[in-house]
Amino acid sequence: DQQVKQNSPSLSVQEGRISILNCDYTNSMFDYFLWYKKYPAEGPTFLISISSIKDKNEDGRFTVFLNKSAKHLSLHIVPSQPGDSAVYFCAASVLGTGANSKLTFGKGITLSVRP
Amino acid sequence: DSGVTQTPKHLITATGQRVTLRCSPRSGDLSVYWYQQSLDQGLQFLIQYYNGEERAKGNILERFSAQQFPDLHSELNLSSLELGDSALYFCASSVGSGGAYNEQFFGPGTRLTVL
């Protein structure tokens, strides 16, 4: 049972435009969400996170939006740059479980930013 | 470079065999996490160790086992290998024990191919 779903396997956008990466989850207990970015031959790296008490978190060109009622979050990258081309993983957790607050990942979305 | 090292980078073996994957966490990190990424699958959490003790368990098969040594490096042992065990295995580390509370830094992964 895939609790974190990234239904679009890939996305291609023009440099300078906005990239919107979507993620849906089914477990209503999730209260902390993260995005990781992964380049080929490297491990994932943390990008940005959001707690369920917020509906938006911004860090430079990256903004994550959370819609709890729809169990949906999205990552916006503005403006998109060729260096943003990578696989993006959405992850979720139940922080209240403390040391058992494991991360549940989606399958990832491959973003390609065309020059 | 995340500071997390994994060896070997690639491993090719046959069904029924046993292999050991090794992970050295970032300096100062006490937690080690193991993840499996199969074809078309997201990162699946396997197990977490904190300062030598098992802290959280995910979807780890009984044929798989792990340990964390006094010097904090960790090994993941995979036995009676099957074709379906072919995957990328990532190790991550964090300072604290709190799962999603602490940012996890990922190694580059070990690609296991079972023939």
Side-chain angles (χ1 to χ4, degrees):
Chain A
D1 177 31
Q2 198 78 19
Q3 295 188 68
V4 177
K5 301 177 183 180
Q6 296 178 262
N7 293 320
S8 301
S10 62
L11 175 68
S12 180
V13 299
Q14 192 75 38
E15 180 179 5
R17 298 290 186 99
I18 183 172
S19 293
I20 300 176
L21 290 74
N22 294 308
C23 177
D24 297 292
Y25 60 95
T26 57
N27 187 345
S28 58
M29 298 295 292
F30 285 146
D31 57 6
Y32 189 63
F33 305 88
L34 309 88
W35 284 93
Y36 278 78
K37 180 167 78 171
K38 183 185 178 304
Y39 292 118
E42 295 182 13
T45 55
F46 170 75
L47 190 57
I48 192 169
S49 64
I50 188 167
S51 165
S52 61
I53 62 173
K54 293 185 171 183
D55 55 18
K56 176 184 173 180
N57 190 26
E58 195 171 350
D59 183 3
R61 297 185 297 114
F62 302 90
T63 303
V64 56
F65 295 91
L66 176 62
N67 182 333
K68 289 188 292 292
S69 60
K71 294 192 181 69
H72 176 84
L73 63 154
S74 60
L75 174 67
H76 293 212
I77 306 174
V78 183
S80 301
Q81 300 173 353
D84 296 328
S85 298
V87 177
Y88 289 79
F89 291 99
C90 173
S93 177
V94 182
L95 278 189
T97 49
N100 293 322
S101 57
K102 64 178 185 177
L103 294 177
T104 301
F105 284 85
K107 293 184 181 182
I109 300 172
T110 300
L111 173 66
S112 299
V113 181
R114 308 185 303 273
Chain B
D1 183 359
S2 67
V4 178
T5 60
Q6 290 186 248
T7 56
K9 287 187 178 176
H10 303 277
L11 198 49
I12 300 175
T13 188
T15 55
Q17 295 298 305
R18 173 191 167 95
V19 297
T20 298
L21 312 184
R22 182 187 168 102
C23 169
S24 292
R26 291 188 323 156
S27 177
D29 284 359
L30 299 179
S31 270
V32 169
Y33 311 78
W34 286 98
Y35 292 87
Q36 178 194 57
Q37 184 184 13
S38 303
L39 192 65
D40 295 330
Q41 294 293 317
L43 288 154
Q44 302 282 326
F45 169 70
L46 296 178
I47 197 165
Q48 176 198 359
Y49 277 82
Y50 175 75
N51 204 21
E53 293 189 2
E54 182 182 307
R55 184 53 81 101
K57 218 166 185 175
N59 302 321
I60 187 166
L61 299 172
E62 285 191 11
R63 299 183 286 109
F64 295 1
S65 65
Q67 54 184 327
Q68 186 179 28
F69 294 87
D71 67 352
L72 301 177
H73 90 271
S74 177
E75 292 181 356
L76 179 67
N77 300 296
L78 316 175
S79 61
S80 303
L81 285 168
E82 302 174 359
L83 295 178
D85 298 327
S86 296
L88 258 175
Y89 291 84
F90 288 102
C91 168
S93 72
S94 68
V95 171
S97 65
Y101 278 107
N102 305 119
E103 181 177 345
Q104 296 181 26
F105 295 85
F106 283 78
T110 292
R111 181 170 293 282
L112 173 66
T113 303
V114 182
L115 300 176

